[in-house]
Amino acid sequence: MTRPAAVIAGLGSCLPLRRITNADLVQEGLNTSDEWIRTRTGIRARYRVAPGVGTADLAVAAGRAALHSAGRTTAACVLVATTTPDRPCPATAPEVAARLGLSGTPAFDLAAVCSGFLYAAQVASALLTSGTFDSALVVGAETYSAIVDPQDRDTAVIFGDGAGAVLLERGTTADPGAFIRFDLGSDGTHSDLIEIPSGGSRRPRRHGDTSEADHFFRMRGREVYGQAVLRMTASARTVLSRAQWPAATVEAFIGHQANQRILDAVAQRLLLPPERCHGNLRHVGNTAAASIPLAMADAAACHLVGPGARTLLTAFGGGLTWGSAALTWPAATAFHLPPEPRPPQGEQHE
């Protein structure tokens, strides 16, 4: 029996122009080596924005690419999942919408760290299937280079910048690209495992503040590994049960591109063979909320999965948050665009 569903009609991506290899990090003075990074994370390179380029610039390019992929110029609402907004206030999404020519369109940010894209996709799906809107542009965009300590080996080697986007349209579960089921969860008792300790209302940045380290992103890697494998595996099993899909019928698996060891552990627990697991971690690093849509766009561009294939997505991030989605692979062709320069002040609402 078919039912209403949010369907992926377009896929878009954006990566900064600067590619940073493991050797580049060593040359910059980071106390590590290419072998250490590859064996512990699986990452060989990541991308960083140039000075003056922000999350909105990446999000606009990825959003425009997704619209182009779908052959559309408009969307009824815009959601931007990000941990690194251009400013603490206002949200980034309204500017993204305006620069895409969608002034007046409802637009808002969603913060769930690395689970952000799946959270935003669930929200957009609910808006579409309820009849509130007929389309939604969902963007995951991050500039982690702005919040990571370049001398912190635990984080500087892992994170990169980038954006991925999907255009969702109202359809049915029979359509290729349809989201079938979701599962979301959180556990705030472990909020200190992944955090930026200060800069918010509890510990605001003050003039003359010298505790610079507290304004950088921190992660307790060993504890995060255990939680990520546990939560992603359990959430994936839950969403497969809701979709009534045996794990053996999953044809494509994309996990949050955090660490290859985590991805391998989750896939092994779900009994998913390597040939059904797709990702681009080694080339782009961990791009947080942008991770899953970037990996989807990459797989689509390389024609690695056929339209309608049963697909499993799962993610884990700070909060703690986690989420999974069961969907069929879209028929859309992915498009990639470079960061879109910010227009002069006063011209972005034309």
Side-chain angles (χ1 to χ4, degrees), residues 92-338:
T92 299
E95 178 184 332
V96 172
R99 290 170 60 180
L100 290 172
L102 303 177
S103 289
T105 298
F108 59 95
D109 288 1
L110 191 150
V113 195
C114 299
S115 307
F117 174 76
L118 291 182
Y119 268 68
Q122 163 75 94
V123 171
S125 178
L127 291 171
L128 268 59
T129 56
S130 68
T132 304
F133 299 117
D134 60 6
S135 62
L137 182 63
V138 179
V139 186
E142 303 284 11
T143 52
Y144 259 64
S145 59
I147 62 172
V148 166
D149 182 349
Q151 295 305 312
D152 179 7
R153 187 172 66 169
D154 292 335
T155 57
V157 303
I158 296 173
F159 291 93
D161 303 337
V166 296
L167 179 69
L168 300 180
E169 295 184 339
R170 190 188 306 140
T172 75
T173 51
D175 298 320
F179 278 97
I180 308 299
R181 295 293 182 190
F182 288 92
D183 175 68
L184 302 177
S186 73
D187 182 0
T189 63
H190 295 292
S191 61
D192 61 333
L193 295 186
I194 301 171
E195 65 170 346
I196 299 176
S198 61
S201 61
R202 182 174 297 169
R203 294 178 59 188
R205 182 185 289 272
R206 301 296 188 189
H207 180 68
D209 188 354
T210 58
S211 57
E212 189 67 30
D214 285 348
H215 296 283
F216 285 125
F217 178 90
R218 292 181 183 174
M219 181 174 65
R220 286 157 50 187
R222 185 169 298 177
E223 294 95 328
V224 167
Y225 174 89
Q227 286 285 336
V229 173
L230 173 68
R231 303 299 190 177
M232 290 169 71
T233 302
S235 179
R237 287 173 173 157
T238 295
V239 84
L240 290 177
S241 176
R242 290 175 181 171
Q244 298 184 351
W245 290 358
T249 68
V250 172
E251 298 167 88
F253 169 66
I254 293 178
H256 163 53
Q257 305 292 290
N259 179 299
Q260 194 60 49
R261 289 180 174 181
I262 293 174
L263 291 167
D264 292 344
V266 173
Q268 289 166 8
R269 283 160 175 75
L270 296 172
L271 302 179
L272 297 174
E275 62 269 19
R276 299 184 189 177
C277 303
H278 304 285
N280 55 3
L281 174 69
R282 65 174 60 88
H283 303 300
V284 304
N286 182 343
T287 55
S291 164
I292 285 180
L294 271 174
M296 290 185 70
D298 187 65
C302 296
H303 306 288
L304 299 179
V305 187
R310 289 187 173 186
T311 303
L312 171 65
L313 310 177
T314 188
F316 172 87
L320 298 174
T321 61
W322 56 86
S324 297
L327 69 153
T328 55
W329 192 260
T333 299
F335 281 85
H336 178 85
L337 290 173

Side-chain angles (χ1 to χ4, degrees), residues 38-129:
R38 284 188 292 103
T39 56
R40 286 163 176 78
T41 70
I43 299 169
R44 297 175 182 270
R46 72 288 297 148
Y47 289 80
R48 289 181 186 167
V49 296
V53 176
T55 294
D57 304 318
L58 303 179
V60 170
R64 196 178 302 282
L67 289 167
H68 180 68
S69 167
R72 308 285 190 269
T73 58
T74 64
C77 64
V78 177
L79 289 72
V80 174
T82 186
T83 318
T84 56
D86 280 10
R87 295 168 286 177
C89 176
T92 299
E95 178 184 332
V96 172
R99 290 170 60 180
L100 290 172
L102 303 177
S103 289
T105 298
F108 59 95
D109 288 1
L110 191 150
V113 195
C114 299
S115 307
F117 174 76
L118 291 182
Y119 268 68
Q122 163 75 94
V123 171
S125 178
L127 291 171
L128 268 59
T129 56

